[in-house]
Amino acid sequence: SIAWDDPNPLVSVRIASYQNTEALVDRAIASVLNQTHSNWELIVVNDGPNDRTRQAIESLGDSRIRYEEFQERSKYPADAHLRWMVAGSPGMNRGANLALGKWIAPLDDDDEFEPHHIESLLTLARTERAEFAYGAIAQVRVLSDEQVRIFSDPPAAGQISMQASIYHSGLRFMNYDTESWRVDEPGDWNLIRRMMDVGVRMAATEEYVTTVHMIPFDRKPEN
């Protein structure tokens, strides 16, 4: 029970990144620095060497931020849609495995937490004694500037994302399946579905906690 009883737990934010230095620093990391819950650490794992990202993070001079990079880019399917389903998942797994916090808060390198993201989801997890707590996403469709609400309770495919959640770090053994494309499931939904299948206690709030900037997979630069 101690994870729910700690009034100010360390929360590990994990970000997998690749060739996206500006959005990572100016949007994703900036949103972590702006959290109302201040007891956090941030782990950025780059999917291959990237001097620009390394230097940008070092220049922030914040000891709460840790940076690691793979020696080479992870291997993904050649097909753009299949690659989109699992891109970044090795770095996401590595970041979760490095986490020291009692809770893990996933974030993508081009998206952003609302300032109350961690605080609100911690409160929800405590209140409901949940191991996985999540909220609503404001999905900004970058090409049209349209905003769409992403939310469902209970979780449903296409209506939830890991980066609208926090989860108990004791669940970190549940890694992303880096080949979830073989069962036609994006990595986030595959992981959430497996958590549901084994009975992870989940709680939801209709509050917006995350803003996601969505570019269709077939319009993204090769990544």
Side-chain angles (χ1 to χ4, degrees):
S1 66
I2 196 166
W4 296 286
D5 297 336
D6 185 340
N8 187 34
L10 179 65
V11 175
S12 299
V13 180
R14 71 104 186 102
I15 302 176
S17 189
Y18 180 69
Q19 312 290 44
N20 207 13
T21 307
E22 283 76 18
L24 168 68
V25 174
D26 297 341
R27 185 183 294 160
I29 293 178
S31 79
V32 179
L33 292 167
N34 200 31
Q35 287 300 294
T36 56
H37 179 89
S38 59
N39 189 19
W40 53 261
E41 61 165 5
L42 172 58
I43 303 149
V44 178
V45 180
N46 208 79
D47 200 358
N50 189 320
D51 287 342
R52 287 192 66 226
T53 295
R54 176 188 291 278
Q55 290 162 8
I57 289 175
E58 286 175 354
S59 73
L60 293 173
D62 193 319
S63 61
R64 296 173 294 177
I65 303 174
R66 285 187 281 154
Y67 176 76
E68 186 172 296
E69 59 187 31
F70 294 152
Q71 291 185 328
E72 58 183 29
R73 180 90 204 275
S74 301
K75 302 291 187 288
Y76 299 113
D79 176 85
H81 184 246
L82 300 183
R83 184 172 64 245
W84 164 81
M85 286 185 174
V86 294
S89 53
M92 295 168 186
N93 288 338
R94 177 63 177 157
N97 290 336
L98 289 170
L100 300 176
K102 288 181 178 169
W103 296 90
I104 296 174
L107 181 59
D108 284 358
D109 67 357
D110 56 351
D111 299 321
E112 58 199 303
F113 288 159
E114 297 302 318
H116 56 80
H117 177 102
I118 293 175
E119 182 182 5
S120 292
L121 294 179
L122 277 178
T123 299
L124 175 62
R126 270 197 213 97
T127 304
E128 301 289 333
R129 283 305 206 244
E131 298 157 321
F132 182 103
Y134 69 97
I137 294 168
Q139 183 191 77
V140 177
R141 299 189 171 171
V142 173
L143 300 183
S144 64
D145 219 26
E146 175 190 13
Q147 183 169 308
V148 179
R149 179 180 175 82
I150 304 293
F151 180 77
S152 69
D153 180 17
Q159 294 299 312
I160 185 174
S161 164
M162 287 295 288
Q163 57 186 327
S165 77
I166 63 168
Y167 63 95
H168 191 292
S169 61
L171 294 170
R172 79 170 115 227
F173 71 92
M174 296 194 72
N175 277 334
Y176 280 87
D177 180 350
T178 58
E179 296 192 343
S180 68
W181 55 270
R182 294 185 185 275
V183 293
D184 196 32
E185 288 182 341
D188 265 21
W189 172 244
N190 176 269
L191 178 54
I192 292 165
R193 179 186 59 75
R194 286 186 286 119
M195 285 184 172
M196 294 169 68
D197 287 349
V198 300
V200 170
R201 294 196 302 279
M202 298 192 171
T205 173
E206 296 190 11
E207 186 179 358
Y208 282 109
V209 295
T210 306
T211 299
V212 166
H213 298 262
M214 203 276 287
I215 301 173
F217 70 88
D218 55 353
R219 300 293 294 273
K220 287 178 179 280
E222 205 286 318
N223 61 17

